[in-house]
Amino acid sequence: MLRILGHRARRDHLRSTVSIRRPLPRETCTGSYRDRGHDRIVPGMLSVTDLEVSYGGAVRALRGVSVELPDRGVVAVLGGNGAGKTTLLRGVSGNLRGVGGTIDAGSITFEGTRLNGRPPADIVRDGVVQVPEGRQIFTRLTVEENLRIGGFSRRDRVAKAATRERVHELFPVLHDRRHERAGLLSGGQQQMLAIGRALMASPRLLLLDEPSLGLAPQVVDQIGRVVRTINEQGTAVMLVEQNAAMALRVASHAVVLTVGEVSLRGTADELAADERIRELYLGGAGAHAVVGSGAGARAGHRRLGRWPG
């Protein structure tokens, strides 16, 4: 009888120990954060919070940058040379280390997954793909081979074939010249190829770095229409641009970077109507008519927020 009681005592002790050591459920946060005392920012599929980036441990490129990208939205990132726009995209895509950059503070999350420190290939598999500035296509390979490289990480052949068909529908010239070397394409066609190559990875978030750089005005308009179509088909877009008129036409929201800090944010219409933006980026008072028919016109209006500094 005493032996049975001893076994029961040990069993009860083990159960209580297990229950004590059982991990607590993860805490979930349903609220939204406030950035430096300004208007509330609604969390989206991409959240960049208080991001600090430096190069070589000496040059501070971003200082406390916070950006939210709504689910299936388009956010334009505006600013002059050296403002930190490309650095922001590199931070999201995981490509900072290759150019000597490091994230010193802050966080980047995509659909709840933290991206800080993850290899670029893993971030691509998560659904975030960057089209770099300057296109960087493989000029000695054919157009078709460039597209195949873009879909290399995908195993489903049927899905890849469907995506290639979608790319050809967006850019018929890529189908017509699919067997030609990519280096023989015009600048605008090479930009189309760079975007098409990124789409082959079937991204849920597309990062575009200066897609209009060096292109003729009519080609810039075409790129803008393509960006809008890509977004309407379900892909969110973060668009870095110096061509503010085109960017605000296709974006729903926008932020302005000034020397590594966010100086303005709001809907595309709000920034287009702001006198400082119209003077610095849109060429004066008549520019609002150029951008007022874009995606921002469909978004709800809100007071334009401004960060200090």
Side-chain angles (χ1 to χ4, degrees), residues 133-209:
E133 180 182 349
R135 301 179 278 274
Q136 298 184 25
I137 61 172
F138 298 98
T139 57
R140 295 188 177 184
L141 300 182
T142 66
V143 170
E144 185 66 22
E145 288 167 339
N146 272 270
L147 293 179
R148 288 179 185 174
I149 290 172
F152 182 77
S153 62
R154 301 174 66 190
R155 300 294 181 88
D156 191 333
R157 293 184 177 181
V158 175
K160 283 198 291 188
T163 303
R164 186 182 298 110
E165 186 68 25
R166 174 193 175 196
V167 170
H168 288 163
E169 289 176 359
L170 284 173
F171 307 111
V173 67
L174 299 184
H175 176 270
D176 298 339
R177 306 188 65 176
R178 61 189 181 278
H179 300 304
E180 298 181 29
R181 285 175 52 181
L184 299 177
L185 300 178
S186 68
Q189 292 167 350
Q190 288 185 8
Q191 185 63 66
M192 297 173 191
L193 177 57
I195 296 174
R197 182 181 61 187
L199 292 176
M200 286 298 298
S202 190
R204 295 191 299 282
L205 170 58
L206 184 65
L207 309 175
L208 292 174
D209 194 354

Side-chain angles (χ1 to χ4, degrees), residues 14-246:
L14 288 173
R15 283 180 176 176
S16 63
T17 302
V18 170
S19 64
I20 292 173
R21 294 180 180 177
R22 185 176 298 145
L24 295 174
R26 288 186 176 182
E27 182 179 355
T28 58
C29 179
T30 58
S32 59
Y33 69 88
R34 291 182 180 270
D35 194 314
R36 302 191 179 185
H38 291 275
D39 293 341
R40 189 178 60 152
I41 301 175
V42 179
M45 69 185 308
L46 176 73
S47 296
V48 179
T49 309
D50 293 330
L51 190 65
E52 306 265 348
V53 174
S54 63
Y55 289 99
V59 179
R60 184 68 60 83
L62 295 179
R63 305 177 184 86
V65 169
S66 295
V67 179
E68 291 282 343
L69 192 151
D71 187 30
R72 297 190 177 185
V74 180
V75 169
V77 182
L78 309 177
N81 289 329
K85 305 186 303 298
T86 295
T87 296
L88 175 60
L89 291 195
R90 286 172 177 166
V92 175
S93 63
N95 286 304
L96 278 171
R97 184 177 300 178
V99 292
T102 57
I103 295 177
D104 302 317
S107 66
I108 305 171
T109 59
F110 174 68
E111 295 181 337
T113 299
R114 188 178 175 91
L115 301 184
N116 298 52
R118 302 194 65 201
D122 290 350
I123 294 176
V124 169
R125 281 191 286 268
D126 285 342
V128 180
V129 181
Q130 180 177 355
V131 179
E133 180 182 349
R135 301 179 278 274
Q136 298 184 25
I137 61 172
F138 298 98
T139 57
R140 295 188 177 184
L141 300 182
T142 66
V143 170
E144 185 66 22
E145 288 167 339
N146 272 270
L147 293 179
R148 288 179 185 174
I149 290 172
F152 182 77
S153 62
R154 301 174 66 190
R155 300 294 181 88
D156 191 333
R157 293 184 177 181
V158 175
K160 283 198 291 188
T163 303
R164 186 182 298 110
E165 186 68 25
R166 174 193 175 196
V167 170
H168 288 163
E169 289 176 359
L170 284 173
F171 307 111
V173 67
L174 299 184
H175 176 270
D176 298 339
R177 306 188 65 176
R178 61 189 181 278
H179 300 304
E180 298 181 29
R181 285 175 52 181
L184 299 177
L185 300 178
S186 68
Q189 292 167 350
Q190 288 185 8
Q191 185 63 66
M192 297 173 191
L193 177 57
I195 296 174
R197 182 181 61 187
L199 292 176
M200 286 298 298
S202 190
R204 295 191 299 282
L205 170 58
L206 184 65
L207 309 175
L208 292 174
D209 194 354
E210 302 280 7
S212 71
L213 186 65
L215 302 182
Q218 62 269 26
V219 181
V220 172
D221 291 340
Q222 183 178 359
I223 294 296
R225 290 193 296 270
V226 166
V227 172
R228 184 179 294 177
T229 300
I230 291 171
N231 176 246
E232 290 172 349
Q233 293 177 352
T235 302
V237 179
M238 178 173 279
L239 173 63
V240 160
E241 262 296 342
Q242 288 193 41
N243 188 327
M246 185 273 277

